[in-house]
Amino acid sequence: MIYNSIIETIGNTPLVRLNKLNKGIAGEILVKVEYFNPGNSMKDRMAVKMVEDAEKAGILKPGGTIIEGTSGNTGMGLALAGIAKGYKCIFTMADKQSKEKIDILKAVGAEVIVCPTNVSPEDPRSYYAVARKLNEEIPNSFYPNQYDNLSNWKAHYETTGPEIWRDTDGEITHFAAGVGTGGSMSGTARYLKEQSETLVSVGIDTYGSVFKKYKETGEFDENEIYPYLTEGIGEDILPRNVDFSVIDHFIKVTDKDAAVMTRRLSREEGLFVGWSCGSAVHGALEYARENLKQGDRMVILLPDHGTRYLGKVYNDDWMRNHGFMENKTFGSAREIVNSRNAAYQLVVVRKSDKVKDAIALMNEKSVSQIPVMEDGQVVGSLTDNKLLLKIIENPEIKDGPVGEVMEDSMHFVALDSTLDVLSSMVDKEKAVLVRDDMHRVHIITKHDILAAITR
Ligand SMILES: Cc1ncc(COP(=O)(O)O)c(C=O)c1O
């Protein structure tokens, strides 16, 4: 198949069965993996539809400029449409968005203006207001406004919904998706509900957003609004693309639960997806655990790709700094050290000790490796199997000094190194060393790590 331009490759993304994260859930869980779109997100679909509908309506004319406030993915879709159709693009973005998203838009030739996140949508500095102002000032410019432009939900009504219905042969009982502008959930759910009256839709919202309370009480509660980190879902406004009549339930998901689930999707299912995918799956599985029956089938929409979050949810330091690291079962070197009693004394030999005395000590203490110390410093190591080979080769070394046969020192690690980091450093031969708070040196072997993991 030959395509006339990249935008013709949008859509027909695959449905993939979850195999691990669905444990304990009756029924089947499928995900629709939207990063297969050329801009790596589902937003390609609505971006092209907004542009083409504007062309048809005569709002967007040849040589025009597309201006949009975007969390990045819509910008990518618009940029691809702009390239294919010859329009310039200017995007405004909130400064909480990933740096990767900004760089990606620049990479496809767009101009990007970064605006503050924590200001109200009416504030002239907000990314909504800056986009509107540029639209007023720049002649022959088009402001798609993905929040209120109904081509957004229609794109999903025309493509995402029918693809899911076709690929499941109509065997779908539940649909779940995050809600930001609302276009993907509203358009897809509307189509699916027109095919199946019993279809249940579950919208995923964030803490800090107004949707869930508005659906349940009809109240737009400003007290629900506070800054959160998850990108793409939840809002402090009610976009026209959110059709509350086709969204049956809302579930709120925390930034942390979403981040942890995003990493699990990559590691356990091989789905290297974006942060709001973690929100969608965490919330959808929470609903599914309680409500799905044998024979039910849920489809969860996964909006975008993991590359856009390498500096955030896929970065261990970032996760730790935000208190999001999911290593409940994985402690640190500190825990191993603390579990040893106060009388712990590292078994060591000196460079000048006789090799046969070192062997006797290792036997007596039942250790297979031992650091070599000199003037309070670790200067080398002995390991039993290497030593054995050397003695077989030359039995006389038994009577010589340790310094003549010792190997390199074991590596020192930081006291707060996590067990997953430690286990990647400890190899079959060599343990690692760590200084505790009292500057005593401890040795940590593979056995210590295994014992700590299973404690
Ligand atoms: C990463 C990501 N997830 C989810 C959404 C929400 O989708 P929608 O705007 O269709 O509600 C968006 C939209 O910006 C997004 O970029």
Side-chain angles (χ1 to χ4, degrees):
M1 176 103 189
I2 295 172
Y3 299 94
N4 292 313
S5 85
I6 194 66
I7 59 174
E8 286 186 4
T9 69
I10 294 170
N12 288 313
T13 54
L15 277 182
V16 179
R17 187 170 287 121
L18 288 191
N19 294 299
K20 301 210 176 74
L21 296 175
N22 56 322
K23 232 187 191 159
I25 291 173
E28 191 181 19
I29 309 284
L30 307 177
V31 292
K32 187 159 172 72
V33 190
E34 287 289 297
Y35 67 57
F36 279 89
N37 284 305
N40 292 144
S41 98
M42 67 179 183
K43 292 288 192 166
D44 291 357
R45 299 172 186 268
M46 52 73 96
V48 170
K49 172 112 179 121
M50 289 194 302
V51 168
E52 291 184 345
D53 286 354
E55 286 172 333
K56 279 184 210 142
I59 304 168
L60 182 57
K61 297 182 197 73
T65 302
I66 301 169
I67 297 166
E68 181 66 317
T70 164
S71 65
N73 289 330
T74 303
M76 185 59 168
L78 288 170
L80 297 187
I83 291 166
K85 291 165 174 286
Y87 303 114
K88 183 174 179 228
C89 290
I90 304 175
F91 300 128
T92 63
M93 277 174 91
D95 57 8
K96 78 167 188 183
Q97 305 297 339
S98 307
K99 182 174 177 306
E100 290 90 335
K101 286 187 182 170
I102 298 169
D103 291 343
I104 286 167
L105 291 180
K106 288 185 178 164
V108 286
E111 192 180 318
V112 181
I113 299 168
V114 181
C115 306
T117 302
N118 296 329
V119 294
S120 78
E122 295 78 36
D123 189 297
R125 293 166 299 168
S126 78
Y127 77 101
Y128 311 96
V130 174
R132 269 195 304 269
K133 185 155 179 286
L134 287 171
N135 177 223
E136 281 158 20
E137 287 172 358
I138 297 176
N140 194 15
S141 66
F142 165 55
Y143 174 37
N145 183 11
Q146 58 171 327
Y147 295 93
D148 296 330
N149 184 330
L150 302 183
S151 303
N152 177 352
W153 74 259
K154 286 179 189 156
H156 295 283
Y157 178 85
E158 288 170 6
T159 66
T160 318
E163 286 172 25
I164 293 173
W165 189 253
R166 178 196 69 200
D167 292 345
T168 57
D169 294 322
E171 308 265 311
I172 169 172
T173 55
H174 295 76
F175 173 67
V179 181
T181 67
S184 53
M185 170 45 111
S186 305
T188 310
R190 177 183 285 225
Y191 179 87
L192 293 173
K193 277 175 173 286
E194 281 175 7
Q195 316 311 308
S196 160
E197 279 180 7
T198 53
L199 184 118
V200 177
S201 63
V202 183
I204 309 302
D205 194 11
T206 49
Y207 286 88
S209 156
V210 295
F211 293 143
K212 185 175 193 306
K213 180 143 188 197
Y214 186 79
K215 168 74 186 176
E216 290 168 4
T217 66
E219 183 191 352
F220 182 90
D221 185 355
E222 292 203 346
N223 294 321
E224 291 282 300
I225 301 170
Y226 53 85
Y228 56 88
L229 296 169
T230 311
E231 295 170 31
I233 64 167
E235 285 302 338
D236 49 5
I237 53 172
L238 292 177
R240 285 182 67 205
N241 275 297
V242 185
D243 179 354
F244 286 94
S245 72
V246 296
I247 309 173
D248 298 310
H249 307 281
F250 273 97
I251 301 228
K252 283 199 177 201
V253 176
T254 64
D255 290 331
K256 177 180 177 175
D257 285 342
V260 170
M261 182 57 84
T262 306
R263 290 164 67 106
R264 291 191 63 194
L265 279 160
S266 292
R267 289 174 188 202
E268 296 176 42
E269 302 283 354
L271 290 160
F272 181 43
V273 290
W275 194 349
S276 71
C277 302
S279 313
V281 171
H282 184 95
L285 293 185
E286 188 179 307
Y287 180 89
R289 233 170 260 121
E290 297 281 312
N291 296 287
L292 252 60
K293 300 182 302 296
Q294 205 64 39
D296 283 349
R297 182 189 259 172
M298 175 184 258
V299 172
I300 310 170
L301 193 64
L302 301 187
D304 70 352
H305 194 252
T307 38
R308 290 172 189 176
Y309 309 88
L310 280 175
K312 291 191 174 177
V313 297
Y314 289 111
N315 179 301
D316 289 354
D317 290 337
W318 186 94
M319 287 290 282
R320 250 180 243 116
N321 289 343
H322 288 81
F324 290 173
M325 206 67 183
E326 76 270 41
N327 52 359
K328 278 199 205 82
T329 51
F330 291 127
S332 63
R334 185 183 290 278
E335 280 167 32
I336 295 177
V337 163
N338 289 348
S339 71
R340 292 174 176 164
N341 68 31
Y344 173 84
Q345 184 105 50
L346 179 67
V347 181
V348 297
V349 289
R350 281 166 308 187
K351 247 170 111 174
S352 53
D353 288 342
K354 284 219 167 78
V355 171
K356 64 180 179 193
D357 295 337
I359 294 169
L361 183 67
M362 288 168 81
N363 280 337
E364 183 198 327
K365 302 286 184 188
S366 299
V367 295
S368 59
Q369 44 191 310
I370 194 166
V372 181
M373 304 275 287
E374 184 100 318
D375 300 329
Q377 300 297 320
V378 182
V379 292
S381 67
L382 292 179
T383 49
D384 57 2
N385 44 3
K386 287 235 173 87
L387 199 50
L388 179 63
L389 290 177
K390 285 181 185 164
I391 292 172
I392 289 170
E393 237 170 62
N394 178 7
E396 280 167 24
I397 60 170
K398 274 190 310 201
D399 297 309
V402 164
E404 282 183 9
V405 296
M406 70 183 192
E407 304 148 41
D408 291 344
S409 165
M410 297 114 175
H411 290 295
F412 272 90
V413 296
L415 191 54
D416 286 312
S417 304
T418 53
L419 297 190
D420 47 340
V421 172
L422 286 187
S423 60
S424 67
M425 293 189 68
V426 172
D427 61 29
K428 266 208 302 293
E429 308 279 355
K430 277 228 167 53
V432 290
L433 300 173
V434 63
R435 278 189 199 278
D436 66 15
D437 290 325
M438 274 116 64
H439 296 286
R440 291 181 309 175
V441 178
H442 290 248
I443 189 165
I444 294 179
T445 64
K446 232 179 189 144
H447 293 293
D448 295 319
I449 297 169
L450 275 173
I453 286 174
T454 50
R455 235 194 312 267

